[in-house]
Amino acid sequence: MLGRSSVIARNFSQSMVRMGGHGGVPGENLPFGLTNKYRITALFTIGCVLGFGSPFLIVRHQLLKK
């Protein structure tokens, strides 16, 4: 049963590539370009800092609020 589902998934993905679906080129469906490595590094760093630091800043704000 597991073998049949993998064959169906493979056939579907191959047909999507043939029909011009999004696939085949790495980074084609990303909302930003991959040509400038410094911009990618800056965006990744900003995203990680905001994503990881936000909960701590929110908790600090709530604890200091009177």
Side-chain angles (χ1 to χ4, degrees), residues 3-65:
R4 180 182 165 106
S5 64
S6 64
V7 169
I8 292 171
R10 182 180 53 202
N11 288 339
F12 177 72
S13 64
Q14 286 176 349
S15 67
M16 285 300 291
V17 171
R18 268 190 240 117
M19 291 177 7
H22 297 287
V25 179
E28 179 181 297
N29 58 350
L30 294 175
F32 49 86
L34 296 176
T35 55
N36 189 348
K37 64 181 178 180
Y38 299 110
R39 184 171 186 265
I40 295 169
T41 304
L43 289 174
F44 181 77
T45 304
I46 290 169
C48 289
V49 166
L50 289 176
F52 185 76
S54 302
F56 295 102
L57 291 174
I58 292 169
V59 168
R60 181 178 183 273
H61 172 74
Q62 292 295 325
L63 289 174
L64 293 177
K65 194 165 57 170

